[in-house]
Amino acid sequence: MRTIVVLDAPSNLGLRPPAPGTVPGCYKLAGALREQRIVARLGALEGGVVVPPRYDLGDWQEGDGVFNAAAIARYTRTLADRIEGHVRAGEFALVLGGDCSIQLGAALALRRIGRYGLAAVDGSADFRHTGNSDRIGAAGGEELALATGRGQADLSDIEGLGPYLKDEDVRLFGMRDEDQDQAELAALKIPNATVGQIREWGAADLARATVESLETPALDGYWVHLDADVLDPSVMPAVDSPDDGGLLPDELAPLLRTLVSSPCCVGLNVTIYDPDLDPDGTGGALLADLVVGALKEA
């Protein structure tokens, strides 16, 4: 049995304000999952909290690059310090976000150690960069581009270690079938499976093939990124961008369980769920059940 350590990374620095004068509520994700007794249910160790800087757009305007960039860079280094320590100790790091920019902390930590892959289970590729968009700003929708070396150097080349991930070491699952990033990802030979393809090929079979492709001597291991928006809004509406056509729980469960089952998988982060949009807590309960089920059966 591997030792699981639960670490909170409640940063919302990478998302746009849901309304003027407000801040994204995904920083409450960790607290909501802890209310579901996720630590006790997993028999996990307590990893504490990496407290983020204040969310403050200041005088940022469109065209200024990534907002909160200095704060995100600082937070990425601090979070990486914590994740790196757990991975080097042979512990499985379960990181409760936060928005998707926290994945940069895991990517930087693992780049310090060696060469690692990423299996991202996400409703979108989060691959926005200056080469494909004129609306750069929210790192939570750009973290994969930044992690693969696309974007401003203060985020994509922290400590001179960019890119943190090689294109060929990335696997994507759960984009909607009409996602416009598919053509670019195909051109870059970044493997990806849309919701329709996951259903066609079978979640568990696809995940097993992916794990085999990541269990290679070229890699020291891999990380799994889970964004709650991979789920269909009918079961998970509490996200910043709820798009129809997502996975259902009985489709996500075998995919996630298989991805984290390998001893080469060193950690998992959970992002984007917003308790402010889930007043009865059903979304949080579902997300906790999925994570606990995957890790307990792995």
Side-chain angles (χ1 to χ4, degrees):
M1 291 286 291
R2 58 186 164 185
T3 300
I4 299 173
V5 179
V6 178
L7 174 65
D8 293 5
S11 172
N12 60 0
L13 295 170
L15 290 186
R16 295 176 185 273
T22 65
V23 300
C26 63
Y27 72 94
K28 301 178 183 179
L29 180 156
L33 266 59
R34 285 177 176 274
E35 281 192 336
Q36 298 294 325
R37 299 180 58 254
I38 192 168
V39 178
R41 290 164 67 186
L42 287 170
L45 299 181
E46 178 56 68
V49 182
V50 181
V51 179
R54 183 178 66 173
Y55 185 99
D56 183 5
L57 298 186
D59 57 359
W60 179 89
Q61 296 180 350
E62 294 287 350
D64 288 346
V66 176
F67 56 74
N68 289 325
I72 292 171
R74 186 164 69 251
Y75 191 70
T76 295
R77 289 190 292 269
T78 304
L79 180 57
D81 290 344
R82 297 281 287 276
I83 293 174
E84 180 184 1
H86 292 305
V87 174
R88 287 191 183 276
E91 298 165 338
F92 184 94
L94 172 58
V95 182
L96 306 178
D99 71 72
C100 292
S101 68
I102 69 162
Q103 202 280 316
L104 291 172
L108 176 61
L110 298 177
R111 178 66 182 86
R112 291 171 177 173
I113 300 170
R115 178 179 171 183
Y116 284 77
L118 174 70
V121 185
D122 197 323
S124 60
D126 291 349
F127 204 64
R128 187 171 59 241
H129 56 87
T130 54
N132 63 21
S133 176
D134 58 1
R135 197 165 183 259
I136 300 302
E142 299 158 16
E143 88 281 349
L144 182 58
L146 290 165
T148 54
R150 298 168 173 89
Q152 58 197 66
D154 56 347
L155 293 174
S156 65
D157 194 28
I158 297 171
E159 300 173 3
L161 291 175
Y164 318 126
L165 295 165
K166 294 180 180 292
D167 290 352
E168 61 264 33
D169 298 338
V170 175
R171 309 288 186 271
L172 301 176
F173 303 88
M175 293 188 304
R176 303 310 193 249
D177 293 338
E178 66 279 4
D179 195 294
Q180 296 182 353
D181 285 331
Q182 290 182 70
E184 182 178 9
L185 295 171
L188 294 169
K189 299 182 179 179
I190 296 178
N192 62 92
T194 66
V195 170
Q197 290 167 329
I198 292 171
R199 288 172 176 158
E200 178 184 355
W201 298 333
D205 289 343
L206 180 60
R208 275 192 292 271
T210 297
V211 169
E212 290 177 4
S213 76
L214 293 171
E215 291 177 331
T216 168
L219 293 176
D220 295 295
Y222 66 92
W223 184 271
V224 175
H225 165 76
L226 173 62
D227 183 331
D229 73 11
V230 75
L231 288 163
D232 191 79
S234 64
V235 295
M236 177 56 75
V239 297
D240 64 310
S241 298
D243 293 324
D244 291 336
L247 293 175
L248 297 175
D250 62 355
E251 296 168 326
L252 175 57
L255 178 69
L256 186 62
R257 180 176 64 248
T258 306
L259 289 175
V260 301
S261 65
S262 170
C264 293
C265 180
V266 298
L268 163 70
N269 62 248
V270 185
T271 62
I272 291 300
Y273 164 67
D274 185 343
D276 286 347
L277 304 176
D278 186 32
D280 64 2
T282 56
L286 171 62
L287 192 57
D289 286 349
L290 286 164
V291 172
V292 170
L295 291 174
K296 285 185 75 80
E297 294 181 33

